Amino acid sequence: MCKTNNNMSSSFSSSFAHSRKGGRGLEMKDDGDRSRRGNRGGGSGRGGSGKDKIDALGRLLTRILRHMASELNLNIQSDGFVKVQDLLSLNLKTFANVPLRAHTVDDIKEAVRRDNKQRFSLLEEDGELLIRANQGHTIQTVESESLLKPILSAKEIPVCVHGTYKKNLESILKSGLKRMQRLHVHFACGLPADGAVISGMRGDVNLLIFLDVAKALEEGMKLYISDNGVILTEGFEGVVPVKYFQKIESWPDRRSIPFES
């Protein structure tokens, strides 16, 4: 269940609005939405290598598709898809100071291919290429039922774990796990050291919170899985209460941390 699905087949609306033209170009600043891996320099300079430019393009795509599509007047469907050509017509610059309009469809495809957490899905329909972020949205018009696959049984996800930091534990035990500005609380279907884990958890977490999936489903919590294997839930009114925590462990020593639910 936690494997990615790269063979999507659905029918989608063909109604899109054209992106605005003209206006002053905006240079985006990296807000840390994508984790940095080493000293890549992707987005730090004006020249940069082709790899840096593609990496910077990917970071901008993440930000637009998760958070900015509506404010940029992109027509984003309820399943998160937008037209690639509409994206390429935006008057923006990437973090490498390259105009988005200077990039090509092939650049978009390469950014998707290189993304190690498989954050994007591409879909070709009626000769038109569409792209979406697989999860992590704050855009309210994106609907869970359209974007994600429902989880109906605990057997589908033997492991459901949220990675966080010990400094957050006191607050979490008081208020539960909150989705904050995003649409969902994120869980992974494996541990940070497991090769199968693609997304859903940062690599430097030191605290693991395991969800009691059977109890959550039984009591009406809706759980979903994205195309890149992230488990997501809106919880109840944006919160996963402590009563649904199965166990809490430190990482990487796997020491059990007692708590009261």
Short mmCIF file of all heavy atoms in Angstrom, two decimals, residues 24-85:
data_model
loop_
_atom_site.label_atom_id
_atom_site.label_comp_id
_atom_site.label_asym_id
_atom_site.label_seq_id
_atom_site.Cartn_x
_atom_site.Cartn_y
_atom_site.Cartn_z
N ARG A 24 5.13 42.66 -13.44
CA ARG A 24 6.52 42.58 -13.00
C ARG A 24 6.84 41.16 -12.55
O ARG A 24 6.10 40.53 -11.84
CB ARG A 24 6.73 43.56 -11.86
CG ARG A 24 8.15 43.60 -11.35
CD ARG A 24 8.27 44.60 -10.23
NE ARG A 24 9.62 44.62 -9.71
CZ ARG A 24 10.00 45.38 -8.69
NH1 ARG A 24 9.13 46.16 -8.12
NH2 ARG A 24 11.24 45.33 -8.26
N GLY A 25 7.99 40.67 -12.98
CA GLY A 25 8.40 39.34 -12.58
C GLY A 25 8.77 39.29 -11.11
O GLY A 25 9.32 40.25 -10.57
N LEU A 26 8.43 38.18 -10.46
CA LEU A 26 8.74 38.00 -9.05
C LEU A 26 9.86 36.99 -8.90
O LEU A 26 9.82 35.93 -9.50
CB LEU A 26 7.50 37.53 -8.30
CG LEU A 26 6.28 38.45 -8.33
CD1 LEU A 26 5.12 37.78 -7.63
CD2 LEU A 26 6.59 39.79 -7.69
N GLU A 27 10.85 37.31 -8.09
CA GLU A 27 11.91 36.36 -7.80
C GLU A 27 11.60 35.69 -6.48
O GLU A 27 11.45 36.34 -5.46
CB GLU A 27 13.26 37.08 -7.72
CG GLU A 27 14.41 36.11 -7.47
CD GLU A 27 15.73 36.83 -7.50
OE1 GLU A 27 15.76 38.02 -7.84
OE2 GLU A 27 16.75 36.18 -7.18
N MET A 28 11.46 34.37 -6.50
CA MET A 28 11.06 33.64 -5.33
C MET A 28 12.24 33.41 -4.41
O MET A 28 13.35 33.16 -4.85
CB MET A 28 10.45 32.28 -5.72
CG MET A 28 9.31 32.40 -6.72
SD MET A 28 8.01 33.49 -6.17
CE MET A 28 7.48 32.62 -4.72
N LYS A 29 11.99 33.45 -3.11
CA LYS A 29 13.00 33.11 -2.11
C LYS A 29 12.70 31.73 -1.56
O LYS A 29 11.55 31.38 -1.34
CB LYS A 29 12.99 34.14 -0.97
CG LYS A 29 13.42 35.53 -1.40
CD LYS A 29 13.44 36.47 -0.23
CE LYS A 29 13.89 37.87 -0.66
NZ LYS A 29 13.91 38.82 0.48
N ASP A 30 13.73 30.96 -1.35
CA ASP A 30 13.57 29.60 -0.85
C ASP A 30 13.09 29.64 0.59
O ASP A 30 13.76 30.14 1.47
CB ASP A 30 14.92 28.87 -0.92
CG ASP A 30 14.79 27.40 -0.64
OD1 ASP A 30 13.71 27.00 -0.16
OD2 ASP A 30 15.75 26.67 -0.92
N ASP A 31 11.86 29.12 0.84
CA ASP A 31 11.30 29.14 2.19
C ASP A 31 11.52 27.83 2.92
O ASP A 31 10.91 27.58 3.96
CB ASP A 31 9.80 29.46 2.14
CG ASP A 31 9.01 28.41 1.38
OD1 ASP A 31 9.63 27.49 0.81
OD2 ASP A 31 7.77 28.51 1.36
N GLY A 32 12.37 26.96 2.35
CA GLY A 32 12.71 25.73 3.05
C GLY A 32 11.69 24.63 2.87
O GLY A 32 11.70 23.63 3.58
N ASP A 33 10.73 24.78 1.91
CA ASP A 33 9.71 23.75 1.73
C ASP A 33 10.32 22.45 1.27
O ASP A 33 9.84 21.38 1.57
CB ASP A 33 8.67 24.25 0.70
CG ASP A 33 7.38 23.48 0.80
OD1 ASP A 33 7.23 22.69 1.74
OD2 ASP A 33 6.53 23.68 -0.07
N ARG A 34 11.39 22.54 0.49
CA ARG A 34 12.13 21.34 0.11
C ARG A 34 13.40 21.29 0.92
O ARG A 34 14.09 22.28 1.09
CB ARG A 34 12.47 21.35 -1.38
CG ARG A 34 11.30 20.97 -2.26
CD ARG A 34 11.65 21.26 -3.71
NE ARG A 34 12.74 20.44 -4.18
CZ ARG A 34 12.60 19.35 -4.91
NH1 ARG A 34 11.42 18.91 -5.19
NH2 ARG A 34 13.64 18.68 -5.34
N SER A 35 13.74 20.13 1.43
CA SER A 35 14.94 19.99 2.25
C SER A 35 16.18 20.11 1.38
O SER A 35 16.19 19.69 0.24
CB SER A 35 14.93 18.63 2.96
OG SER A 35 14.88 17.59 2.03
N ARG A 36 17.24 20.69 1.98
CA ARG A 36 18.50 20.83 1.25
C ARG A 36 19.32 19.58 1.44
O ARG A 36 19.38 19.02 2.52
CB ARG A 36 19.25 22.06 1.76
CG ARG A 36 18.51 23.36 1.46
CD ARG A 36 19.25 24.52 2.10
NE ARG A 36 18.63 25.78 1.75
CZ ARG A 36 17.58 26.28 2.35
NH1 ARG A 36 16.99 25.62 3.33
NH2 ARG A 36 17.07 27.44 1.99
N ARG A 37 19.99 19.17 0.39
CA ARG A 37 20.81 17.96 0.46
C ARG A 37 22.24 18.33 0.07
O ARG A 37 22.58 18.42 -1.10
CB ARG A 37 20.24 16.89 -0.48
CG ARG A 37 18.86 16.44 -0.08
CD ARG A 37 18.34 15.42 -1.06
NE ARG A 37 18.00 16.00 -2.35
CZ ARG A 37 16.83 16.57 -2.59
NH1 ARG A 37 15.92 16.65 -1.66
NH2 ARG A 37 16.57 17.05 -3.77
N GLY A 38 23.07 18.58 1.09
CA GLY A 38 24.47 18.89 0.82
C GLY A 38 24.64 20.30 0.29
O GLY A 38 23.76 21.13 0.33
N ASN A 39 25.79 20.57 -0.29
CA ASN A 39 26.09 21.89 -0.84
C ASN A 39 25.82 21.90 -2.33
O ASN A 39 26.71 21.98 -3.15
CB ASN A 39 27.56 22.25 -0.56
CG ASN A 39 27.84 22.35 0.91
OD1 ASN A 39 27.02 22.87 1.66
ND2 ASN A 39 28.99 21.84 1.34
N ARG A 40 24.51 21.83 -2.65
CA ARG A 40 24.15 21.75 -4.06
C ARG A 40 24.23 23.10 -4.75
O ARG A 40 24.43 23.19 -5.94
CB ARG A 40 22.74 21.19 -4.21
CG ARG A 40 22.58 19.81 -3.63
CD ARG A 40 21.13 19.42 -3.64
NE ARG A 40 20.35 20.44 -2.95
CZ ARG A 40 19.04 20.41 -2.89
NH1 ARG A 40 18.37 19.47 -3.47
NH2 ARG A 40 18.38 21.35 -2.24
N GLY A 41 23.95 24.16 -4.00
CA GLY A 41 23.95 25.49 -4.60
C GLY A 41 22.78 25.72 -5.50
O GLY A 41 22.76 26.67 -6.27
N GLY A 42 21.76 24.88 -5.48
CA GLY A 42 20.62 25.06 -6.36
C GLY A 42 19.80 26.25 -5.95
O GLY A 42 18.96 26.18 -5.09
N GLY A 43 19.99 27.37 -6.62
CA GLY A 43 19.22 28.55 -6.30
C GLY A 43 20.04 29.61 -5.59
O GLY A 43 19.51 30.61 -5.17
N SER A 44 21.32 29.40 -5.46
CA SER A 44 22.12 30.38 -4.73
C SER A 44 22.85 31.34 -5.64
O SER A 44 23.37 32.34 -5.18
CB SER A 44 23.14 29.65 -3.84
OG SER A 44 24.02 28.87 -4.64
N GLY A 45 22.89 31.07 -6.92
CA GLY A 45 23.65 31.95 -7.79
C GLY A 45 22.94 32.22 -9.09
O GLY A 45 21.92 31.64 -9.39
N ARG A 46 23.50 33.10 -9.88
CA ARG A 46 22.85 33.49 -11.13
C ARG A 46 23.20 32.57 -12.28
O ARG A 46 22.40 32.35 -13.15
CB ARG A 46 23.25 34.94 -11.48
CG ARG A 46 22.61 35.95 -10.56
CD ARG A 46 22.97 37.36 -10.97
NE ARG A 46 22.24 38.33 -10.18
CZ ARG A 46 21.06 38.82 -10.51
NH1 ARG A 46 20.46 38.42 -11.60
NH2 ARG A 46 20.46 39.69 -9.74
N GLY A 47 24.41 32.06 -12.28
CA GLY A 47 24.80 31.18 -13.37
C GLY A 47 24.37 29.77 -13.07
O GLY A 47 23.33 29.31 -13.47
N GLY A 48 25.20 29.05 -12.32
CA GLY A 48 24.83 27.73 -11.85
C GLY A 48 24.85 26.70 -12.95
O GLY A 48 24.83 27.00 -14.14
N SER A 49 24.92 25.46 -12.55
CA SER A 49 24.90 24.37 -13.51
C SER A 49 23.48 24.05 -13.92
O SER A 49 22.52 24.52 -13.32
CB SER A 49 25.55 23.13 -12.88
OG SER A 49 24.74 22.65 -11.83
N GLY A 50 23.34 23.20 -14.94
CA GLY A 50 22.02 22.77 -15.35
C GLY A 50 21.30 22.04 -14.24
O GLY A 50 20.09 22.20 -14.06
N LYS A 51 22.05 21.25 -13.47
CA LYS A 51 21.45 20.52 -12.35
C LYS A 51 20.90 21.49 -11.32
O LYS A 51 19.80 21.30 -10.79
CB LYS A 51 22.49 19.60 -11.70
CG LYS A 51 21.95 18.82 -10.51
CD LYS A 51 23.02 17.94 -9.91
CE LYS A 51 22.47 17.10 -8.76
NZ LYS A 51 21.96 17.91 -7.66
N ASP A 52 21.67 22.55 -11.01
CA ASP A 52 21.21 23.54 -10.05
C ASP A 52 19.91 24.19 -10.53
O ASP A 52 19.00 24.44 -9.75
CB ASP A 52 22.27 24.62 -9.86
CG ASP A 52 23.51 24.09 -9.14
OD1 ASP A 52 23.39 23.06 -8.46
OD2 ASP A 52 24.57 24.71 -9.28
N LYS A 53 19.84 24.49 -11.82
CA LYS A 53 18.66 25.16 -12.35
C LYS A 53 17.44 24.25 -12.31
O LYS A 53 16.33 24.71 -12.02
CB LYS A 53 18.94 25.63 -13.79
CG LYS A 53 19.98 26.74 -13.86
CD LYS A 53 20.27 27.16 -15.30
CE LYS A 53 21.33 28.25 -15.35
NZ LYS A 53 21.67 28.65 -16.74
N ILE A 54 17.64 22.98 -12.59
CA ILE A 54 16.52 22.03 -12.52
C ILE A 54 16.07 21.84 -11.07
O ILE A 54 14.88 21.78 -10.76
CB ILE A 54 16.91 20.68 -13.14
CG1 ILE A 54 17.14 20.83 -14.65
CG2 ILE A 54 15.84 19.63 -12.88
CD1 ILE A 54 15.91 21.26 -15.44
N ASP A 55 17.05 21.78 -10.16
CA ASP A 55 16.72 21.65 -8.74
C ASP A 55 15.94 22.86 -8.26
O ASP A 55 14.95 22.74 -7.52
CB ASP A 55 18.01 21.49 -7.93
CG ASP A 55 17.74 21.33 -6.45
OD1 ASP A 55 17.34 20.23 -6.04
OD2 ASP A 55 17.92 22.31 -5.70
N ALA A 56 16.37 24.05 -8.66
CA ALA A 56 15.67 25.28 -8.27
C ALA A 56 14.26 25.31 -8.87
O ALA A 56 13.31 25.77 -8.23
CB ALA A 56 16.46 26.50 -8.72
N LEU A 57 14.12 24.82 -10.09
CA LEU A 57 12.80 24.73 -10.71
C LEU A 57 11.89 23.82 -9.89
O LEU A 57 10.73 24.15 -9.64
CB LEU A 57 12.94 24.19 -12.14
CG LEU A 57 11.63 23.86 -12.87
CD1 LEU A 57 10.78 25.12 -13.05
CD2 LEU A 57 11.94 23.23 -14.23
N GLY A 58 12.43 22.68 -9.46
CA GLY A 58 11.63 21.76 -8.65
C GLY A 58 11.17 22.38 -7.35
O GLY A 58 10.04 22.16 -6.91
N ARG A 59 12.03 23.16 -6.71
CA ARG A 59 11.64 23.81 -5.46
C ARG A 59 10.52 24.81 -5.68
O ARG A 59 9.59 24.92 -4.87
CB ARG A 59 12.85 24.49 -4.81
CG ARG A 59 13.89 23.51 -4.31
CD ARG A 59 14.72 24.08 -3.17
NE ARG A 59 15.39 25.34 -3.51
CZ ARG A 59 16.55 25.42 -4.15
NH1 ARG A 59 17.15 24.31 -4.56
NH2 ARG A 59 17.10 26.57 -4.39
N LEU A 60 10.59 25.55 -6.79
CA LEU A 60 9.53 26.50 -7.09
C LEU A 60 8.23 25.78 -7.44
O LEU A 60 7.14 26.20 -7.02
CB LEU A 60 9.95 27.41 -8.25
CG LEU A 60 8.92 28.47 -8.67
CD1 LEU A 60 8.55 29.36 -7.49
CD2 LEU A 60 9.44 29.31 -9.83
N LEU A 61 8.31 24.69 -8.18
CA LEU A 61 7.11 23.91 -8.49
C LEU A 61 6.42 23.43 -7.21
O LEU A 61 5.20 23.49 -7.08
CB LEU A 61 7.46 22.71 -9.37
CG LEU A 61 7.91 22.99 -10.80
CD1 LEU A 61 8.31 21.69 -11.49
CD2 LEU A 61 6.82 23.71 -11.59
N THR A 62 7.23 22.96 -6.25
CA THR A 62 6.67 22.51 -4.98
C THR A 62 5.90 23.63 -4.30
O THR A 62 4.77 23.43 -3.84
CB THR A 62 7.80 22.02 -4.04
OG1 THR A 62 8.49 20.94 -4.66
CG2 THR A 62 7.24 21.57 -2.71
N ARG A 63 6.50 24.80 -4.26
CA ARG A 63 5.85 25.92 -3.57
C ARG A 63 4.57 26.35 -4.28
O ARG A 63 3.54 26.60 -3.64
CB ARG A 63 6.84 27.09 -3.49
CG ARG A 63 6.33 28.24 -2.66
CD ARG A 63 7.41 29.25 -2.40
NE ARG A 63 6.89 30.39 -1.66
CZ ARG A 63 7.61 31.44 -1.32
NH1 ARG A 63 8.89 31.48 -1.65
NH2 ARG A 63 7.08 32.44 -0.65
N ILE A 64 4.62 26.43 -5.61
CA ILE A 64 3.43 26.85 -6.35
C ILE A 64 2.31 25.84 -6.21
O ILE A 64 1.16 26.20 -5.90
CB ILE A 64 3.78 27.07 -7.84
CG1 ILE A 64 4.69 28.27 -8.02
CG2 ILE A 64 2.50 27.27 -8.67
CD1 ILE A 64 5.22 28.45 -9.44
N LEU A 65 2.62 24.57 -6.45
CA LEU A 65 1.57 23.54 -6.50
C LEU A 65 1.00 23.22 -5.13
O LEU A 65 -0.15 22.80 -5.02
CB LEU A 65 2.13 22.28 -7.16
CG LEU A 65 2.51 22.43 -8.63
CD1 LEU A 65 3.24 21.19 -9.13
CD2 LEU A 65 1.28 22.71 -9.49
N ARG A 66 1.78 23.42 -4.08
CA ARG A 66 1.26 23.16 -2.74
C ARG A 66 0.56 24.37 -2.13
O ARG A 66 -0.42 24.22 -1.41
CB ARG A 66 2.41 22.74 -1.81
CG ARG A 66 2.91 21.33 -2.00
CD ARG A 66 4.04 21.04 -1.03
NE ARG A 66 4.43 19.62 -1.05
CZ ARG A 66 5.41 19.11 -0.32
NH1 ARG A 66 6.12 19.90 0.48
NH2 ARG A 66 5.69 17.82 -0.37
N HIS A 67 1.09 25.57 -2.41
CA HIS A 67 0.67 26.72 -1.62
C HIS A 67 0.18 27.94 -2.41
O HIS A 67 -0.58 28.73 -1.85
CB HIS A 67 1.83 27.18 -0.73
CG HIS A 67 2.51 26.09 0.03
ND1 HIS A 67 1.84 25.25 0.90
CD2 HIS A 67 3.81 25.67 0.03
CE1 HIS A 67 2.69 24.38 1.41
NE2 HIS A 67 3.89 24.60 0.89
N MET A 68 0.62 28.13 -3.66
CA MET A 68 0.45 29.43 -4.31
C MET A 68 -0.44 29.45 -5.54
O MET A 68 -0.69 30.50 -6.10
CB MET A 68 1.84 29.98 -4.71
CG MET A 68 2.78 30.21 -3.57
SD MET A 68 4.40 30.76 -4.17
CE MET A 68 3.96 32.29 -5.00
N ALA A 69 -0.91 28.28 -5.98
CA ALA A 69 -1.61 28.22 -7.26
C ALA A 69 -2.82 29.16 -7.31
O ALA A 69 -3.05 29.84 -8.31
CB ALA A 69 -2.05 26.78 -7.55
N SER A 70 -3.60 29.20 -6.25
CA SER A 70 -4.81 30.03 -6.25
C SER A 70 -4.47 31.51 -6.31
O SER A 70 -5.07 32.26 -7.10
CB SER A 70 -5.65 29.73 -5.00
OG SER A 70 -6.13 28.41 -5.02
N GLU A 71 -3.50 31.95 -5.50
CA GLU A 71 -3.17 33.37 -5.49
C GLU A 71 -2.50 33.80 -6.80
O GLU A 71 -2.51 34.99 -7.13
CB GLU A 71 -2.27 33.72 -4.31
CG GLU A 71 -0.89 33.08 -4.31
CD GLU A 71 -0.11 33.39 -3.05
OE1 GLU A 71 -0.23 32.64 -2.07
OE2 GLU A 71 0.63 34.40 -3.07
N LEU A 72 -1.95 32.85 -7.55
CA LEU A 72 -1.36 33.16 -8.85
C LEU A 72 -2.38 33.03 -9.98
O LEU A 72 -2.04 33.14 -11.15
CB LEU A 72 -0.18 32.22 -9.13
CG LEU A 72 1.05 32.44 -8.25
CD1 LEU A 72 2.07 31.32 -8.48
CD2 LEU A 72 1.69 33.80 -8.50
N ASN A 73 -3.64 32.80 -9.60
CA ASN A 73 -4.74 32.67 -10.57
C ASN A 73 -4.57 31.48 -11.51
O ASN A 73 -5.07 31.50 -12.63
CB ASN A 73 -4.94 33.96 -11.38
CG ASN A 73 -5.64 35.04 -10.59
OD1 ASN A 73 -6.14 34.79 -9.50
ND2 ASN A 73 -5.66 36.24 -11.13
N LEU A 74 -3.85 30.46 -11.05
CA LEU A 74 -3.81 29.21 -11.81
C LEU A 74 -5.11 28.44 -11.55
O LEU A 74 -5.62 28.44 -10.43
CB LEU A 74 -2.64 28.34 -11.36
CG LEU A 74 -1.24 28.76 -11.84
CD1 LEU A 74 -0.19 27.89 -11.16
CD2 LEU A 74 -1.13 28.64 -13.35
N ASN A 75 -5.62 27.80 -12.57
CA ASN A 75 -6.82 26.98 -12.40
C ASN A 75 -6.38 25.61 -11.90
O ASN A 75 -5.94 24.76 -12.66
CB ASN A 75 -7.57 26.85 -13.74
CG ASN A 75 -8.96 26.28 -13.54
OD1 ASN A 75 -9.21 25.53 -12.59
ND2 ASN A 75 -9.85 26.63 -14.44
N ILE A 76 -6.47 25.41 -10.60
CA ILE A 76 -6.07 24.15 -9.99
C ILE A 76 -7.30 23.31 -9.72
O ILE A 76 -8.26 23.78 -9.11
CB ILE A 76 -5.24 24.38 -8.70
CG1 ILE A 76 -4.76 23.04 -8.12
CG2 ILE A 76 -6.00 25.22 -7.68
CD1 ILE A 76 -3.69 23.19 -7.04
N GLN A 77 -7.29 22.09 -10.20
CA GLN A 77 -8.44 21.21 -10.06
C GLN A 77 -8.54 20.68 -8.63
O GLN A 77 -7.60 20.77 -7.85
CB GLN A 77 -8.34 20.05 -11.05
CG GLN A 77 -8.31 20.50 -12.50
CD GLN A 77 -8.15 19.36 -13.48
OE1 GLN A 77 -8.28 19.56 -14.68
NE2 GLN A 77 -7.86 18.16 -13.00
N SER A 78 -9.66 20.08 -8.32
CA SER A 78 -9.87 19.55 -6.97
C SER A 78 -8.89 18.44 -6.64
O SER A 78 -8.62 18.16 -5.47
CB SER A 78 -11.30 19.05 -6.82
OG SER A 78 -11.57 17.98 -7.71
N ASP A 79 -8.32 17.79 -7.68
CA ASP A 79 -7.32 16.75 -7.46
C ASP A 79 -5.90 17.29 -7.50
O ASP A 79 -4.93 16.53 -7.48
CB ASP A 79 -7.48 15.62 -8.48
CG ASP A 79 -7.43 16.10 -9.92
OD1 ASP A 79 -7.03 17.27 -10.15
OD2 ASP A 79 -7.81 15.34 -10.82
N GLY A 80 -5.75 18.61 -7.57
CA GLY A 80 -4.45 19.24 -7.49
C GLY A 80 -3.74 19.47 -8.80
O GLY A 80 -2.67 20.10 -8.83
N PHE A 81 -4.29 19.00 -9.91
CA PHE A 81 -3.62 19.13 -11.20
C PHE A 81 -3.79 20.52 -11.80
O PHE A 81 -4.85 21.13 -11.70
CB PHE A 81 -4.14 18.09 -12.20
CG PHE A 81 -3.51 16.73 -12.07
CD1 PHE A 81 -4.21 15.67 -11.52
CD2 PHE A 81 -2.21 16.51 -12.50
CE1 PHE A 81 -3.63 14.42 -11.40
CE2 PHE A 81 -1.61 15.26 -12.38
CZ PHE A 81 -2.33 14.22 -11.84
N VAL A 82 -2.71 21.01 -12.44
CA VAL A 82 -2.75 22.23 -13.24
C VAL A 82 -2.04 21.96 -14.56
O VAL A 82 -1.25 21.02 -14.68
CB VAL A 82 -2.07 23.43 -12.53
CG1 VAL A 82 -2.71 23.70 -11.20
CG2 VAL A 82 -0.58 23.19 -12.37
N LYS A 83 -2.30 22.79 -15.55
CA LYS A 83 -1.63 22.65 -16.83
C LYS A 83 -0.17 23.09 -16.73
O LYS A 83 0.14 24.14 -16.17
CB LYS A 83 -2.31 23.51 -17.89
CG LYS A 83 -3.61 22.94 -18.46
CD LYS A 83 -4.11 23.84 -19.57
CE LYS A 83 -5.34 23.26 -20.24
NZ LYS A 83 -5.83 24.13 -21.34
N VAL A 84 0.72 22.28 -17.27
CA VAL A 84 2.13 22.63 -17.30
C VAL A 84 2.36 23.93 -18.07
O VAL A 84 3.14 24.79 -17.66
CB VAL A 84 2.97 21.48 -17.89
CG1 VAL A 84 4.39 21.94 -18.21
CG2 VAL A 84 3.00 20.30 -16.92
N GLN A 85 1.66 24.10 -19.19
CA GLN A 85 1.84 25.31 -19.99
C GLN A 85 1.39 26.55 -19.23
O GLN A 85 1.97 27.63 -19.39
CB GLN A 85 1.08 25.19 -21.32
CG GLN A 85 1.71 24.23 -22.31
CD GLN A 85 3.10 24.69 -22.77
OE1 GLN A 85 3.51 25.82 -22.54
NE2 GLN A 85 3.84 23.79 -23.43
#
